[in-house]
C-alpha cells in the first residue's frame, strides 16, 4: 500500500469504551479499580527497583540500576541537601561552594577591584603553575570570569594589550616591579594599578 | 516579560502554521519553538542592524506574536471556528489511571529536583565556560555576534570548536544576560520541563496515557541525560529538537497531518542551529521523503525539507567570513577501511551505550524492543511467506553473529533485518530507517576521525563527544518500541481495563 493511500489513523485519545460496553460517564467498575491498584503496585515496584540504593563496596561496583540509583540517591539528594543548607549564597559564593576556595576567589577579587573596562595583566603560565593555578592558564577561562575586562598574560609581550594594561594581578611577588609606585607592604596576592 | 513573549511567539507560530495541533501540544511545544525562533530573529538583527539589544528583540518578538496571532484568527474565521464560536466540551478524564498518577508523580518529583539544582548552581561546565556561555556574555554586552570574543584568535583557538557551535544556545543564554540575570540556567530548565510535556504529548498520538507516561518516565530518568538537565550544554537542547523532529515526522507520515511535517521541519532546523550533527537526522528524514517522492511523484516535501540544511550552510559561511581559526580539522579527509579501528569504535560505542552508569537500561530496553517488535511482526502473521523468509534470515543472522561477533557487517545486517521486518509488516519502518541512518552515520563520523590519542582516551572524542551525542538516539530507540503497532495496541488494551472515568458520549 502506498503511504498516500493510508487512511488517517485516529490519534489515540486514551482508552475508548468498546462497542457494546456502557459509556455512561459513570464511575469505575470493580474490575477497573482492581486493575488500577495492580497497575499502580507494579509501577511502584518498578520505581523501587530502579531507584533501590546499593552501598558500593568498591569504586568499580556496578549494579543493573547503578545509574538510576546514583541520579536519585546521590546526585539529586546531595544537591537538594546543599541547596537547603545554603539557600541564600550569591553567585560567586556558589562557585566557591562548588569548586572550593581556589583560583575563583582570587579572580573574584580581581573582578571586584577593577573597573569593567580594565585591561588586566595576569602572571605568565610558569608563575601560575608554580603557585598551583591551573584554570587561570586558560585565557578563555579567566576571561569568562573577568569579562568585560580584557586579560593579557605577563609574558605576552607581543600582544597589543600588553602595553595598554591598566592593572596587574600580582602573585607571590611577581608583578610588584610593574607598579609605577613602590609597593610598601607587599602581599602574596595583590591587584595593582599600572597607571598613576 | 521577554520569556512570556517568547512563549507566546512559539505558541502563535505553531497555531498559525496548522490547525492540527491540540491545545496541550501547543502549550508543550511553545517554549522550545519560541526560543529557537527568537535566536533566528537575533541572528537577523545582528546581520541587518548589527545591534542585538533587549529592546529590539522584545519589539521584534512582540510584533511577530501579533502577526502570527492574526494569521491564526484569520484561519479560524475561514473555518468558522473563532475561539468564541467554539462549543464548550466537557473535559475528558478517561485517560487518568492510578499507574499514570504514580509515574507522573515520580517524574514530577525528579523534574522539580533537577530544576532546583539547575537554577541553584551557576554554569561551571568546561565546555560552557570555554565556549558558548563566554560568547553569550559577549553578545549581551557588545550586542553583536562578531564581538571581541569571536573575533579574537587567542580566545577562539583557546576554546577549540566549542565556541564555533551553531548559535542557538549561545543566543538563548544571551537573552538571560541582556535581561539582567546573573546566570543563564533558566534556559536549560525551560528546555527540559517543556521536553517532558512534549514527549508525553507526541507519544499520545500513538499510544494511550499509561504507555506514553511510562516511556516519558523512562526517558526522563536516562542517567546521563538527567544529569545534563542541570548543565548548560548544547547536547540536551539538540536532542530535544531532533526527537521532536523525528516524532513529528513519523506522525505526519503515519497520519498525514500536514502541521506535523512543518513542525518536524522547524524542529530539525533548530536542532541544526544548536549542533551541526543534527543534520544527520535531516538526512535520514530526507531518505524517507525521497521514497515518498518516488512512489507518489510528490517532490514538494523533499524539496521543502532539503532547505533545512540552509542554517548549517549559513553558519559555516558566517564562521568562514568572520572567525579567525588555525585549527586543523579532526577528520581524515579520504575514505579508508581499517577493520581494527572499526572494531574499536564499535566496542567503545557499546561500552558507553551498555554502561549502567551512563545510559542505565535504555539501550537494553531499546534493542530488546527491536527484537520483540520483529518477533511480533513475524510471529503474528507467520502464515505469510515473507515472514517465514524473515525468520529464516534472522536465524542465519544469529549464526553469523555467533561466528563473527559484533562488526560493521553483522550490525548492518541486523539493522537491515529489523527494517525489513517493519517495512514488510507496515509497522513504522520510516522511524527505523531514520534512526538507523542517522545513528549509523553518527558512529561512522567517529570512525573517520584522526586517532591521535584523543579518540578513545578517557575524556576524548568518543568517551565525551560520542557519549553526549547519543542523547539524540536514546529517547528515539525507546520511542520506536512504544510506538510499534503491537506495543501500543497492548498498552491501549491495558488502558481499557483501567478506565476510571468513562468518556461521555453526549
Amino acid at each position: 500500500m502506498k503511504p498516500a493511500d493510508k487512511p488517517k489513523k485516529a490519534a489515540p485519545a486514551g482508552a475508548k469504551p468498546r462497542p457494546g460496553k456502557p459509556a455512561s460517564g459513570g464511575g469505575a467498575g470493580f474490575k477497573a479499580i482492581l486493575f488500577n491498584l495492580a497497575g499502580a503496585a507494579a509501577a511502584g515496584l518498578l520505581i523501587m527497583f530502579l531507584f533501590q540504593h546499593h552501598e558500593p563496596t568498591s569504586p568499580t561496583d556496578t549494579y543493573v540500576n547503578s545509574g538510576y540509583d546514583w541520579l536519585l540517591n546521590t546526585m539529586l539528594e546531595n544537591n537538594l541537601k546543599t541547596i537547603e543548607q545554603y539557600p541564600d549564597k550569591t553567585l560567586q559564593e556558589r562557585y566557591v561552594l562548588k569548586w572550593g576556595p581556589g583560583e575563583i576567589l582570587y579572580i573574584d577579587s580581581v573582578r571586584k577591584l577593577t573597573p569593567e573596562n580594565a585591561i588586566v595583566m595576569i602572571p605568565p603560565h610558569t608563575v601560575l603553575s608554580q603557585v598551583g593555578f591551573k584554570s587561570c592558564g586558560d585565557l578563555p577561562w579567566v576571561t569568562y570570569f573577568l569579562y568585560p575586562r580584557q586579560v593579557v598574560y605577563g609574558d605576552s609581550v607581543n600582544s597589543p594589550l600588553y602595553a595598554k594594561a591598566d592593572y596587574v594581578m600580582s602573585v607571590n611577588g611577581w608583578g610588584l616591579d610593574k607598579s609605577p609606585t613602590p609597593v610598601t607592604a607587599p602581599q602574596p596576592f595583590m591587584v595593582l594599578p599600572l597607571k598613576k | 516579560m521577554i520569556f512570556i513573549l517568547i512563549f507566546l511567539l512559539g505558541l502563535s507560530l505553531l497555531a498559525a502554521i496548522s490547525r492540527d495541533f491540540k491545545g496541550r501540544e501547543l502549550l508543550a511545544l511553545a517554549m522550545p519553538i519560541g526560543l529557537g525562533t527568537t535566536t533566528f530573529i537575533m541572528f537577523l538583527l545582528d546581520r541587518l542592524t548589527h545591534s542585538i539589544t533587549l529592546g529590539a528583540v522584545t519589539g521584534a518578538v512582540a510584533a511577530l506574536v501579533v502577526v502570527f496571532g492574526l494569521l491564526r484568527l484569520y484561519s479560524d474565521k475561514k473555518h468558522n471556528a473563532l475561539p468564541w464560536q467554539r462549543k464548550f466540551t466537557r473535559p475528558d478524564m478517561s485517560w487518568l489511571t492510578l499507574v499514570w498518577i504514580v509515574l507522573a508523580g515520580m517524574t514530577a518529583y525528579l523534574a522539580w529536583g533537577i530544576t532546583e539544582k539547575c537554577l541553584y548552581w551557576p554554569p561551571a561546565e568546561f565546555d560552557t565556560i570555554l565556549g558558548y556561555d563566554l560568547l553569550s556574555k559577549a553578545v549581551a554586552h557588545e550586542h553583536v555576534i562578531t564581538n571581541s570574543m569571536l573575533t579574537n584568535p587567542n580566545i577562539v583557538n583557546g576554546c577549540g570548536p566549542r565556541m564555533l557551535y551553531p548559535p542557538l544556545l549561545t543566543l538563548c543564554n544571551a537573552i538571560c544576560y541582556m535581561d539582567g540575570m546573573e546566570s543563564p540556567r533558566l534556559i536549560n530548565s525551560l528546555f527540559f520541563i517543556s521536553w517532558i510535556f512534549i514527549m508525553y504529548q507526541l507519544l499520545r498520538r500513538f499510544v494511550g496515557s499509561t504507555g506514553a507516561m511510562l516511556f516519558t518516565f523512562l526517558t526522563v530518568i536516562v542517567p546521563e541525560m538527567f544529569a545534563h538537565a542541570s548543565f548548560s550544554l548544547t547536547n540536551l537542547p539538540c536532542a530535544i529538537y531532533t526527537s521532536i523532529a523525528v516524532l513529528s515526522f513519523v506522525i505526519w507520515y503515519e497520519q498525514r497531518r500536514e502541521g506535523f511535517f512543518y513542525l518536524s521541519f522547524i524542529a530539525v532546523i533548530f536542532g541544526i542551529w544548536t549542533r551541526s550533527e543534527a543534520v544527520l537526522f535531516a538526512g535520514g528524514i530526507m531518505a524517507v521523503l525521497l521514497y515518498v517522492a518516488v512512489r507518489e511523484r510528490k517532490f514538494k516535501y523533499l524539496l521543502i525539507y532539503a532547505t533545512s540544511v540552509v542554517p548549517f550552510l549559513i553558519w559555516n559561511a558566517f564562521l568562514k567570513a568572520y572567525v579567525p581559526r588555525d585549527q586543523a580539522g579532526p577528520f581524515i579527509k579520504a575514505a579508508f577501511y581499517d577493520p581494527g579501528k572499526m572494531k574499536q569504535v564499535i566496542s567503545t560505542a557499546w561500552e558507553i551505550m551498555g554502561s549502567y552508569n551512563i545510559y542505565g537500561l535504555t539501550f537494553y530496553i531499546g534493542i530488546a524492543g527491536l527484537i520483540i517488535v520483529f518477533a511480533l511482526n513475524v510471529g503474528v502473521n507467520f502464515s505469510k511467506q515473507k515472514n517465514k523468509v524473515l525468520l529464516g534470515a534472522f536465524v542465519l543472522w544469529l549464526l553469523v553473529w555467533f561466528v563473527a561477533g559484533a562488526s560493521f557487517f553483522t550490525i548492518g545486517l541486523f539493522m537491515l533485518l529489523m527494517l525489513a521486518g517493519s517495512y514488510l509488516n507496515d509497522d513504522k519502518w520510516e522511524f527505523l530507517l531514520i534512526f538507523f541512518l542517522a545513528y549509523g552515520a553518527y558512529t561512522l563520523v567517529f570512525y573517520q576521525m584522526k586517532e591521535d590519542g584523543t579518540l578513545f582516551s578517557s575524556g576524548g572524542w568518543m568517551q565525551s563527544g560520542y557519549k553526549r551525542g547519543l542523547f539524540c538516539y536514546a529517547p528515539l530507540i525507546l520511542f520506536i518500541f512504544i510506538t510499534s503497532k503491537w506495543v501500543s495496541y497492548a498498552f491501549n488494551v491495558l488502558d481499557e481495563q483501567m478506565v476510571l472515568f468513562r468518556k461521555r458520549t453526549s
Side-chain angles (χ1 to χ4, degrees):
Chain A
M1 185 167 65
K2 285 181 187 178
D5 302 329
K6 282 189 178 186
K8 275 194 175 182
K9 291 176 194 167
K16 288 172 187 158
R18 278 180 178 170
K21 280 198 168 184
S24 60
F30 178 70
K31 196 175 126 194
I33 293 172
L34 212 62
F35 263 96
N36 268 279
L37 289 173
L45 284 173
L46 174 72
I47 290 170
M48 280 166 64
F49 160 72
L50 290 174
F51 297 112
Q52 189 188 6
H53 184 52
H54 297 278
E55 277 304 331
T57 47
S58 80
T60 51
D61 265 4
T62 50
Y63 301 89
V64 171
N65 71 331
S66 290
Y68 306 115
D69 175 9
W70 167 81
L71 80 83
L72 182 70
N73 303 311
T74 306
M75 187 261 282
L76 210 54
E77 201 178 294
N78 291 348
N79 275 282
L80 292 177
K81 266 185 204 161
T82 309
I83 295 166
E84 204 181 327
Q85 215 174 338
Y86 308 106
D88 301 320
K89 293 260 185 208
T90 64
L91 188 87
Q92 295 308 318
E93 288 168 343
R94 288 175 196 191
Y95 272 117
V96 177
L97 197 61
K98 195 167 185 72
W99 287 339
E103 289 162 82
I104 190 71
L105 271 181
Y106 296 99
I107 292 299
D108 192 35
S109 301
V110 176
R111 200 178 56 83
K112 284 176 183 159
L113 295 168
T114 56
E116 282 198 349
N117 59 355
I119 299 173
V120 183
M121 185 183 289
I122 64 169
H125 293 86
T126 45
V127 177
L128 289 171
S129 43
Q130 274 166 19
V131 292
F133 280 16
K134 285 179 186 163
S135 302
C136 280
D138 253 327
L139 180 66
W141 189 90
V142 75
T143 305
Y144 179 84
F145 290 103
L146 291 180
Y147 187 85
R149 296 154 194 83
Q150 290 174 278
V151 180
V152 61
Y153 286 105
D155 53 356
S156 301
V157 286
N158 294 326
S159 164
L161 294 179
Y162 187 86
K164 294 185 204 163
D166 310 300
Y167 292 86
V168 64
M169 178 176 123
S170 165
V171 177
N172 271 8
W174 181 92
L176 293 176
D177 57 330
K178 298 190 187 299
S179 173
T181 50
V183 181
T184 48
Q187 303 287 319
F189 173 82
M190 298 179 89
V191 178
L192 302 165
L194 286 176
K195 288 165 189 165
K196 278 190 183 174
Chain B
M1 174 66 181
I2 181 72
F3 287 101
I4 295 170
L5 277 174
I6 288 171
F7 179 83
L8 291 175
L9 175 64
L11 195 72
S12 58
L13 171 62
L14 290 170
I17 283 175
S18 171
R19 303 169 57 78
D20 285 335
F21 305 117
K22 294 174 185 166
R24 45 187 187 267
E25 286 168 346
L26 290 176
L27 290 172
L29 288 157
M31 192 45 98
I33 298 298
L35 282 169
T37 313
T38 307
T39 61
F40 270 96
I41 294 170
M42 291 168 83
F43 187 76
L44 274 178
L45 281 173
D46 178 78
R47 294 296 79 211
L48 299 175
T49 67
H50 302 293
S51 176
I52 309 172
T53 60
L54 186 62
V57 175
T58 308
V61 170
L64 281 176
V65 169
V66 173
V67 170
F68 292 139
L70 288 174
L71 279 173
R72 174 58 192 241
L73 280 177
Y74 175 71
S75 161
D76 280 349
K77 194 171 179 230
K78 255 188 12 185
H79 290 87
N80 218 9
L82 284 161
W84 50 89
Q85 292 173 329
R86 284 179 216 150
K87 279 183 187 165
F88 171 77
T89 48
R90 283 170 185 275
D92 168 26
M93 298 297 285
S94 59
W95 53 270
L96 188 67
T97 64
L98 274 182
V99 184
W100 189 94
I101 292 171
V102 171
L103 293 170
M106 191 63 201
T107 307
Y109 172 72
L110 292 169
W112 165 80
I114 202 71
T115 305
E116 282 271 302
K117 177 180 182 266
C118 181
L119 296 178
Y120 183 80
W121 294 111
E125 301 77 38
F126 187 76
D127 285 14
T128 309
I129 290 172
L130 272 74
Y132 5 98
D133 206 38
L134 174 57
L135 190 54
S136 305
K137 283 186 174 186
V139 170
H141 190 260
E142 298 174 37
H143 307 298
V144 282
I145 299 175
T146 48
N147 48 55
S148 63
M149 295 296 108
L150 200 59
T151 54
N152 180 339
N154 292 329
I155 294 285
V156 171
N157 293 323
C159 287
R162 295 172 204 97
M163 193 175 254
L164 310 179
Y165 287 162
L168 189 138
L169 191 67
T170 296
L171 294 174
C172 286
N173 287 3
I175 299 170
C176 293
Y177 290 124
M178 287 196 294
D179 201 32
M181 295 180 194
E182 279 189 303
S183 157
R185 288 298 188 96
L186 175 69
I187 298 295
N188 301 75
S189 293
L190 291 175
F191 268 116
F192 189 69
I193 300 288
S194 303
W195 192 42
I196 297 172
F197 289 101
I198 292 167
M199 274 188 287
Y200 177 75
Q201 291 301 338
L202 293 184
L203 287 178
R204 285 287 273 122
R205 288 275 176 179
F206 299 102
V207 68
S209 58
T210 307
M213 195 63 241
L214 175 64
F215 277 74
T216 301
F217 169 71
L218 287 176
T219 310
V220 165
I221 62 167
V222 175
E224 185 73 8
M225 290 177 73
F226 185 75
H228 271 247
S230 64
F231 293 167
S232 193
L233 297 171
T234 51
N235 305 85
L236 196 60
C238 182
I240 292 169
Y241 283 126
T242 51
S243 51
I244 295 172
V246 177
L247 267 180
S248 326
F249 181 80
V250 175
I251 294 171
W252 170 77
Y253 186 84
E254 292 287 321
Q255 301 171 7
R256 291 300 160 123
R257 292 175 193 272
E258 197 85 345
F260 283 91
F261 174 82
Y262 292 103
L263 172 59
S264 169
F265 174 66
I266 292 172
V268 92
I269 285 177
F270 292 158
I272 293 169
W273 200 232
T274 312
R275 289 180 71 90
S276 299
E277 68 208 35
V279 82
L280 298 175
F281 287 94
I285 290 171
M286 278 194 280
V288 178
L289 286 171
L290 182 66
Y291 170 86
V292 172
V294 170
R295 288 205 65 164
E296 298 177 26
R297 299 277 175 270
K298 265 189 203 166
F299 288 87
K300 173 185 143 189
Y301 296 111
L302 179 63
L303 289 174
I304 292 173
Y305 222 93
T307 60
S308 65
V309 297
V310 169
F312 174 79
L313 302 174
I314 288 176
W315 182 246
N316 281 297
F318 177 85
L319 290 180
K320 207 170 177 182
Y322 294 103
V323 182
R325 286 182 284 179
D326 58 8
Q327 297 155 9
F331 297 104
I332 298 165
K333 284 180 182 150
F336 65 99
Y337 183 62
D338 178 348
K341 187 178 180 187
M342 180 63 81
K343 205 170 176 63
Q344 206 176 350
V345 167
I346 289 170
S347 62
T348 312
W350 178 247
E351 197 182 295
I352 295 163
M353 292 161 73
S355 161
Y356 295 138
N357 291 330
I358 301 171
Y359 280 98
L361 298 173
T362 310
F363 285 101
Y364 293 98
I365 296 171
I367 293 167
L370 289 177
I371 295 168
I372 291 168
V373 169
F374 178 83
L376 285 167
N377 275 326
V378 170
V380 173
N381 295 311
F382 193 65
S383 53
K384 292 182 180 168
Q385 185 64 26
K386 60 187 179 185
N387 285 327
K388 289 176 181 157
V389 174
L390 277 173
L391 181 67
F394 187 74
V395 173
L396 265 178
W397 175 82
L398 274 177
L399 288 172
V400 175
W401 175 268
F402 280 120
V403 173
S407 68
F408 181 67
F409 176 68
T410 51
I411 293 173
L413 272 183
F414 176 79
M415 289 177 174
L416 271 178
L417 256 177
M418 297 298 120
L419 194 58
S422 64
Y423 180 80
L424 294 173
N425 291 284
D426 195 22
D427 189 10
K428 303 195 181 56
W429 67 273
E430 72 284 358
F431 202 161
L432 276 176
L433 182 69
I434 296 164
F435 180 84
F436 286 150
L437 280 180
Y439 174 69
Y442 175 66
T443 306
L444 286 176
V445 163
F446 286 80
Y447 165 76
Q448 200 65 28
M449 286 179 125
K450 291 171 191 163
E451 171 46 338
D452 53 3
T454 59
L455 183 55
F456 301 109
S457 61
S458 170
W461 286 106
M462 282 211 75
Q463 294 288 350
S464 171
Y466 184 84
K467 179 178 78 175
R468 293 174 188 174
L470 285 175
F471 288 180
C472 298
Y473 303 93
L476 291 182
I477 199 164
L478 292 176
F479 299 163
I480 287 171
F481 181 42
I482 185 65
T483 58
S484 148
K485 61 184 176 188
W486 303 111
V487 182
S488 54
Y489 173 76
F491 273 103
N492 289 343
V493 169
L494 186 70
D495 272 344
E496 278 184 27
Q497 307 306 318
M498 294 196 288
V499 175
L500 290 171
F501 306 100
R502 290 219 174 270
K503 193 175 181 177
R504 288 173 192 273
T505 48
S506 57

